[in-house]
Amino acid sequence: MIYGIGTDICDIRRITATLQRQGDRFATKVLGDDELAVWRSRSARWPQRGVRYLATRFSAKEAFSKAVGMGMRMPMSWRLCEILNEKSGKPRIVLHGELKAWFEAQGLRAHVTVTDETDYAASFVVVERDLPPPANS
């Protein structure tokens, strides 16, 4: 059963401008530890590729927060939600801490896709409920 759907589009030029103003501070606010390692590696080889990576992760987290219906308020937070890639390249959502506990207690699972073009990154998330809703929701 579909619990929620979220989508987001992000202007990559806006992410570039934010990085120029804030430097790594913005990336460390938005990215989890594993994402941060990928971002640093990609940025070192090709800075624009790092910006695109950051933009797709920002967009996917916004889409996820919309799909679960809570926006950016606890237990949802930037760093507790990571968008990582399987070996095949398929993106997947990895949750941590309070967000993971809440998500699992709701019996939810998520699917994510991300894409980027010259000026934009976009994401789409579908959240499904595997279990009947908890009695108190």
Side-chain angles (χ1 to χ4, degrees), residues 1-78:
M1 168 172 82
I2 292 179
Y3 178 86
I5 297 171
T7 189
D8 189 76
I9 187 166
C10 175
D11 189 327
I12 295 173
R13 296 163 297 190
R14 196 173 126 218
I15 298 297
T16 300
T18 301
L19 282 170
Q20 289 171 348
R21 278 192 321 274
Q22 296 183 14
D24 286 4
R25 255 187 6 226
F26 179 68
T28 58
K29 175 184 174 183
V30 172
L31 301 175
D33 293 339
D34 290 338
E35 292 169 317
L36 204 52
V38 173
W39 175 73
R40 286 184 174 135
S41 172
R42 289 185 182 189
S43 295
R45 285 186 303 219
W46 185 24
Q48 188 58 30
R49 190 166 179 224
V51 172
R52 289 175 186 282
Y53 179 84
L54 179 55
T56 58
R57 273 47 195 175
F58 181 88
S59 175
K61 292 174 189 203
E62 285 281 337
F64 176 79
S65 74
K66 293 170 185 175
V68 296
M70 64 178 58
M72 283 298 171
R73 62 182 168 81
M74 289 305 283
M76 179 62 199
S77 76
W78 296 110

Side-chain angles (χ1 to χ4, degrees), residues 100-116:
K100 180 180 180 179
W102 174 84
F103 194 77
E104 289 175 353
Q106 301 299 311
L108 302 175
R109 63 187 167 118
H111 309 276
V112 61
T113 188
V114 300
T115 190
D116 63 88

